[in-house]
Amino acid sequence: CGPAIILCHGFPHYWYSWRYQIPYLANLGYRVIALDLRGFGKSSCPPDIQDYTADKIVQDIIDTMDSLFIAKAILIGHDLGSIIAWFCALHFPERVEAVASLNVPYKPQHPRKHFLQHITRDPKQFDYQFYYQNEGKAEAELEYDFRRSFNLYFGDYGPIGWLRDKVHFPTGGLLKGLPAELPDTPFLSHGEMEEYIKTFQHTGF
């Protein structure tokens, strides 16, 4: 096998989000591993929120490498997966050949303040992070209509769209102020949308 690449997906994704990159990288000679991170896809879903801390997910990566006899790997992360890739390199530098991060640059942790403390007064496009802190609320709203939620995440109705247009940043969650029906996202075919819906109906958000 060639050099190992481990693909770490973001939210709301699972290994399937790398479906186009897997064969491309494999054809270049890499050994490609696309994970379902803890709580996603067919991975285990522990009930305790404390089981989803970054250090535990990083350890999942290392344990996967050990089980596949991989001494060192290139990590490619997207969104949440980028944070996991950076943390993995920080805590296990001897196991990481390189990190490629999509849309999340490395930023050292503040020595005294948590990130959410920095944005409390004026969260703007990061308000969704407060929305996710209310355990159960976001899940209930997002799981009420999976298709609408994925059209939100994969369309142009989220925080980045608001940032681009330089309009007011609403607070209170990702769905606030949006119509009951959203146009189908151009980024997923009908079959791909059905795959996402089927998977998240099993695991939930």
Side-chain angles (χ1 to χ4, degrees):
C1 295
I5 287 181
I6 297 178
L7 304 173
C8 303
H9 63 79
F11 177 87
H13 294 279
Y14 60 115
W15 77 264
Y16 188 66
S17 64
W18 300 106
R19 60 196 176 281
Y20 296 113
Q21 290 77 23
I22 293 170
Y24 178 82
L25 293 169
N27 287 336
L28 293 177
Y30 292 101
R31 180 185 182 187
V32 185
I33 300 99
L35 302 175
D36 282 338
L37 295 180
R38 180 180 293 219
F40 295 91
K42 293 185 178 180
S43 71
S44 59
C45 300
D48 191 341
I49 195 171
Q50 295 304 317
D51 286 326
Y52 294 90
T53 55
D55 61 323
K56 291 187 177 178
I57 300 176
V58 164
Q59 188 61 53
D60 289 343
I61 304 292
I62 298 302
D63 290 345
T64 298
M65 292 174 64
D66 289 344
S67 69
L68 296 174
F69 303 101
I70 297 172
K72 212 167 190 180
I74 299 166
L75 301 184
I76 301 178
H78 168 240
D79 187 59
L80 165 66
S82 290
I83 297 172
I84 299 305
W86 288 125
F87 269 64
C88 209
L90 279 172
H91 295 286
F92 296 92
E94 73 283 0
R95 306 297 301 272
V96 179
E97 185 69 37
V99 171
S101 174
L102 307 179
N103 88 323
V104 179
Y106 172 68
K107 184 176 181 179
Q109 189 172 1
H110 192 282
R112 294 182 300 277
K113 283 188 177 182
H114 188 279
F115 171 72
L116 292 179
Q117 292 178 287
H118 285 283
I119 62 174
T120 299
R121 289 188 177 183
D122 190 16
K124 290 188 169 62
Q125 71 267 29
F126 296 108
D127 177 68
Y128 71 94
Q129 299 209 16
F130 290 101
Y131 174 62
Y132 291 146
Q133 300 308 305
N134 298 316
E135 187 177 359
K137 179 181 178 181
E139 291 90 335
E141 292 183 354
L142 294 170
E143 291 167 13
Y144 179 77
D145 185 338
F146 283 92
R147 188 177 306 278
R148 179 175 183 246
S149 295
F150 284 121
N151 280 329
L152 164 68
Y153 279 114
F154 301 148
D156 196 18
Y157 298 89
I160 299 305
W162 300 330
L163 178 63
R164 183 201 63 197
D165 295 333
K166 298 180 180 178
V167 299
H168 173 65
F169 291 87
T171 59
L174 293 174
L175 301 174
K176 185 174 181 180
L178 295 179
E181 292 188 15
L182 298 176
D184 289 341
T185 173
F187 300 109
L188 295 177
S189 68
H190 174 76
E192 290 169 337
M193 172 65 83
E194 294 304 313
E195 283 292 326
Y196 270 95
I197 292 173
K198 180 177 67 175
T199 298
F200 276 81
Q201 282 177 332
H202 174 68
T203 62
F205 278 97

